[in-house]
Amino acid sequence: MYFAALLARTEDGWEASDTELDDVETLSDLADLAREASPDEDTVLVLIEQEDAWFGVVRVDGEEDPRIYVSDAAAAARSSYGEILLTDELLGREPGDDGDDLDALDLDGTEDGESDDEDGGDGSGAAAGSAEAVPHGPVGDAEILDDLGMSEKELRSMSGDAVGEIAESLGALDVLEAVR
């Protein structure tokens, strides 16, 4: 189960709204959604959490490129919402460097004349190859919330209700809970 919320920083403090990500297909779509939440080009945080598996923070400051932090890239890669956040740039890959994904479609290893003994016959060889492309653990800008009062160390040590902990640290827990 997912929870996604927008926190917009205004002159009067934080404003929160829950959001549906069903129509969001790209990071650009997500950034546009965040910008719509703040007509004054204030800071907007998109907080996404999949139960206790992973969380992500996307920070949009006006028209600047979004900044992203994902707590566990490998867990997020198994999620349609996580895939939106895991850009080539964030993962340190060249754009379009998806050649390994085609190999992952080789379910029985015989399409290229290979025997299926090479990967143990269970297909795990292809899956392991594609999993190496996404690191386990955090990726992105761990200093994304430094100027808002949450250090890199605090962000990296999050567990459990990370979205709630982030909101509490920013002084926005009450407004977040109102939309939860």
Side-chain angles (χ1 to χ4, degrees):
M1 180 146 153
Y2 292 94
F3 174 73
L6 296 173
L7 284 178
R9 188 175 187 188
T10 67
E11 297 175 353
D12 302 324
W14 291 98
E15 293 180 7
S17 58
D18 64 339
T19 187
E20 288 295 322
L21 300 178
D22 295 340
D23 296 332
V24 174
E25 296 179 9
T26 65
L27 181 59
S28 181
D29 292 344
L30 188 60
D32 289 344
L33 182 69
R35 288 183 185 106
E36 289 171 13
S38 178
D40 296 331
E41 297 190 8
D42 293 317
T43 297
V44 178
L45 302 176
V46 181
L47 305 174
I48 302 172
E49 182 176 59
Q50 181 184 7
E51 293 180 347
D52 291 337
W54 67 275
F55 70 92
V57 179
V58 178
R59 179 177 176 160
V60 178
D61 293 300
E63 292 300 318
E64 292 181 27
D65 288 340
R67 294 168 57 193
I68 305 165
Y69 175 80
V70 176
S71 66
D72 186 337
R78 294 186 294 271
S79 153
S80 58
Y81 297 130
E83 287 178 341
I84 293 169
L85 305 181
L86 297 175
T87 63
D88 288 336
E89 181 181 342
L90 190 71
L91 296 174
R93 298 188 298 212
E94 291 295 319
D97 193 15
D98 296 334
D100 291 343
D101 292 343
L102 295 176
D103 294 336
L105 297 176
D106 186 8
L107 299 178
D108 66 2
T110 60
E111 283 78 4
D112 295 326
E114 301 170 4
S115 73
D116 53 359
D117 292 336
E118 289 181 30
D119 66 3
D122 63 358
S124 64
S130 61
E132 289 174 16
V134 179
H136 290 276
V139 295
D141 183 355
E143 298 175 353
I144 193 169
L145 302 174
D146 274 1
D147 65 323
L148 299 174
M150 175 170 269
S151 72
E152 174 181 351
K153 182 179 178 183
E154 290 172 302
L155 187 63
R156 288 186 184 268
S157 68
M158 294 276 150
S159 63
D161 180 18
V163 168
E165 290 180 45
I166 291 169
E168 183 174 21
S169 177
L170 302 177
L173 184 59
D174 291 342
V175 294
L176 178 70
E177 290 299 324
V179 299
R180 227 179 208 186

